[in-house]
Amino acid sequence: MMSAPKVVIPTKKNKISIGRILGKIVLYAMLITSSIVVLVPILWIIGSSLNPGDSLYTSTMFPKNPTFIHYKELFTKTDFPIWYKNTLKIAFANMILSVILTTSSSYVFSRFKFKGKKQGLITILVLQMFPSFLAMTALYVLLMQINLLNTHLGLILVYAGGQIPYNTWLIKGYFDSIPKSLDEAARVDGASNFTTFTKIILPLARPIIVFIALTNFIGPWMDFIFPTLILRTAEKKTLAMGLFAMVTGQTNTKFTTFAAGAILVAVPITLLFVYLQKHIIAGLSSGAVKG
């Protein structure tokens, strides 16, 4: 006598397993697509920098005869070392000055009560909503009047001042999450406001400070508009200005040298990201939640 076939009833566990599998497939498909979109241009620019020719059209991602001649030419036939030194100086100075300005202003807004505090915070909030391009003409005239046009100091002040509104709100949110009882305990022990700020608050806020420092360091490396507006002479040029001038009007005949310069520009930023990865992630998550 033949037995009746068993009817398999879909269980909740099977439905969940299928759903998880489909979810993972979609997730990995998105990750692979994102990786391709990000990595292909990077690999292509690295391959172009190693191509022996100078033309954009003959460059390939995997050159048959790779060479480092373009890297050598950057240091022997162009002002690339001067551009690199100028940009590094501006980026480092902007990073230090921006961190000092924004942490001190954030501490004042976070810890002290004073007349006009609310209006000041609202003003800063409104200011950060205006694009910096709106102030270009005013900045140019202002720098010209105080004789800071065509100087690195003028450019550093523009960068540092422009970062204050956004960074102040971001760091203030982090400072607000630090218990004020720590400040009170320090004052009971005789610590001044400056001592409390530098020896208690700043060490606890290290993740957000590292994040702010890194973003302010990266800004001058990537910017082209403000250096072009403020800097005039060849010895004052930054990397963005120098590399752009190298290919402008050359009908792309120095594109492979430009690619080599772009790779060298990315080196310090990449190293900083790798070295400070832990603090950057902590700072991003802290700023997003508490800011």
Side-chain angles (χ1 to χ4, degrees), residues 26-286:
V26 173
L27 177 63
Y28 281 108
M30 292 176 64
L31 290 175
I32 292 171
T33 305
S34 301
S35 300
I36 291 174
V37 171
V38 172
L39 291 177
V40 166
I42 295 175
L43 293 175
W44 195 84
I45 202 72
I46 293 174
S48 297
S49 70
L50 300 176
N51 272 271
D54 289 331
S55 174
L56 168 66
Y57 301 104
T58 58
S59 298
T60 58
M61 186 183 297
F62 302 103
K64 294 180 180 178
N65 300 307
T67 176
F68 289 96
I69 186 64
H70 304 301
Y71 292 91
K72 183 180 178 181
E73 288 178 353
L74 275 174
F75 290 93
T76 56
K77 296 183 179 180
T78 69
D79 291 332
F80 187 80
I82 297 175
W83 306 335
Y84 212 95
K85 184 189 71 174
N86 291 340
T87 308
L88 186 63
K89 180 178 72 175
I90 293 170
F92 187 75
N94 175 53
M95 178 183 69
I96 299 297
L97 185 59
S98 295
V99 168
I100 293 174
L101 291 176
T102 52
T103 52
S104 56
S105 61
S106 302
Y107 181 69
V108 170
F109 279 114
S110 174
R111 287 299 194 265
F112 298 99
K113 294 181 180 179
F114 54 89
K115 190 176 182 179
K117 175 181 177 180
K118 184 178 180 181
Q119 291 79 3
L121 286 171
I122 293 174
T123 302
I124 292 176
L125 182 65
V126 173
L127 284 176
Q128 70 176 335
M129 296 179 182
F130 290 96
S132 56
F133 298 105
L134 290 178
M136 288 179 66
T137 305
L139 288 172
Y140 182 87
V141 174
L142 182 62
L143 292 176
M144 184 172 62
Q145 290 178 345
I146 58 178
N147 294 324
L148 287 181
L149 201 62
N150 193 33
T151 64
H152 291 160
L153 178 59
L155 185 59
I156 292 167
L157 292 177
V158 169
Y159 283 139
Q163 299 292 333
I164 290 176
Y166 176 78
N167 290 340
T168 296
W169 268 96
L170 193 64
I171 301 178
K172 176 187 174 300
Y174 197 96
F175 284 170
D176 288 343
S177 67
I178 299 175
K180 293 183 180 179
S181 58
L182 295 176
D183 302 49
E184 296 167 357
R187 290 193 185 94
V188 169
D189 291 337
S192 62
N193 289 327
F194 182 76
T195 304
T196 305
F197 174 61
T198 54
K199 294 190 176 180
I200 295 178
I201 302 300
L202 288 185
L204 293 174
R206 183 180 299 171
I208 194 68
I209 293 173
V210 170
F211 173 72
I212 294 297
L214 184 60
T215 53
N216 283 289
F217 182 82
I218 293 174
W221 290 86
M222 307 292 185
D223 189 29
F224 173 76
I225 302 297
F226 278 112
T228 306
L229 176 72
I230 295 171
L231 305 178
R232 297 295 178 183
T233 54
E235 67 273 12
K236 300 287 185 181
K237 283 184 178 179
T238 62
L239 279 169
M241 293 176 67
L243 290 175
F244 183 76
M246 196 167 62
V247 294
T248 303
Q250 301 289 335
T251 62
N252 288 339
T253 54
K254 290 187 177 181
F255 180 80
T256 47
T257 308
F258 175 86
I263 295 300
L264 293 179
V265 169
V267 169
I269 299 173
T270 306
L271 293 177
L272 280 175
F273 262 104
V274 172
Y275 181 69
L276 301 173
Q277 187 178 18
K278 180 179 68 176
H279 295 294
I280 293 170
I281 295 173
L284 279 172
S285 58
S286 302

